[in-house]
Amino acid sequence: RILAYISDDPALIHVVETTDPHQSNADFLGIERGPAKNVTYAKIYGGGVQVIMETAGIRDRRVAQALNDRWESVYTVAWSWIEKQTRLGLSTGWVHTLLGRPVAIPLYVPEYEAAKKPANFTIQGTGGDVIKRSLLMLDKAGVDIVLTLHDENLMEGRLTHQDLIDIGVEHILPFRLPV
């Protein structure tokens, strides 16, 4: 979701707003949902054909290359944003989350490793900002937070969807859909 809105890719936004993105990707890539999810995350987080092969369990490099190329051709705007973010991070040593928090890119590692970081750090950093901000909002509202795991908060008590909207956690970022 975060990549869809950061990049403003119409095709990716449409998929995120209307369906299960991983199943949709599986359908257009012509593979099962699990491997399609791995292809998507590999593309988002800086992996290339080799990473697609390893994470999606694909043995044939030509198949992995075709999946890679197909993803880039369908989500051209998102792919362009990833490439631009990579250039920015490598040239300045910094990227920023959507909430403006600066994140340093480790330039002391080989460039092929550093190149995986800018888009990843922007997306993951934004996700981290959202979860941290939601924890603060929930705590301020007196909600008992039991557990935070990845991108979810487990709370105790009876909260309705409207309660979450009223607290403000439903739309921390200016997206049309909650993240």
Side-chain angles (χ1 to χ4, degrees):
R1 291 182 188 271
I2 292 173
L3 174 61
Y5 292 102
I6 287 177
S7 69
D8 203 27
D9 186 308
L12 192 51
I13 289 171
H14 175 74
V15 166
V16 166
E17 290 180 340
T18 62
T19 187
D20 169 6
H22 300 302
Q23 187 58 54
S24 177
N25 290 339
D27 294 343
F28 83 70
L29 292 172
I31 57 178
E32 295 295 318
R33 185 182 186 281
K37 187 175 180 179
N38 291 335
V39 169
T40 298
Y41 285 131
K43 294 306 299 172
I44 292 171
Y45 299 126
V49 173
Q50 187 61 40
V51 172
I52 289 171
M53 290 175 67
E54 293 167 7
T55 60
I58 297 168
R59 296 177 190 253
D60 187 333
R61 185 170 191 81
R62 292 171 300 189
V63 170
Q65 183 68 57
L67 294 172
N68 179 77
D69 296 347
R70 178 82 172 120
W71 193 95
E72 291 175 13
S73 73
V74 170
Y75 301 124
T76 56
V77 177
W79 181 242
S80 177
W81 178 86
I82 289 169
E83 290 180 311
K84 180 180 172 189
Q85 196 68 1
T86 299
R87 287 189 303 274
L88 174 69
L90 292 178
S91 68
T92 66
W94 295 91
V95 292
H96 291 82
T97 68
L98 276 183
L99 294 177
R101 183 170 53 87
V103 183
I105 303 301
L107 300 178
Y108 53 84
V109 298
E111 186 171 330
Y112 72 90
E113 281 297 321
K116 297 177 183 179
K117 310 296 185 206
N120 185 348
F121 284 10
T122 303
I123 294 166
Q124 294 285 11
T126 297
D129 288 352
V130 168
I131 201 76
K132 290 175 223 168
R133 189 166 283 190
S134 72
L135 287 169
L136 292 170
M137 295 167 96
L138 291 165
D139 184 61
K140 185 176 179 182
V143 174
D144 291 324
I145 302 161
V146 177
L147 176 72
T148 297
L149 182 63
H150 301 295
D151 60 355
E152 296 183 16
N153 292 322
L154 179 63
M155 300 158 279
E156 216 167 55
R158 294 185 184 265
L159 290 173
T160 66
H161 186 242
Q162 187 59 50
D163 292 332
L164 294 174
I165 292 171
D166 293 344
I167 292 168
V169 298
E170 191 70 5
H171 291 283
I172 290 173
L173 294 174
F175 297 163
R176 290 190 296 267
L177 286 180
V179 287

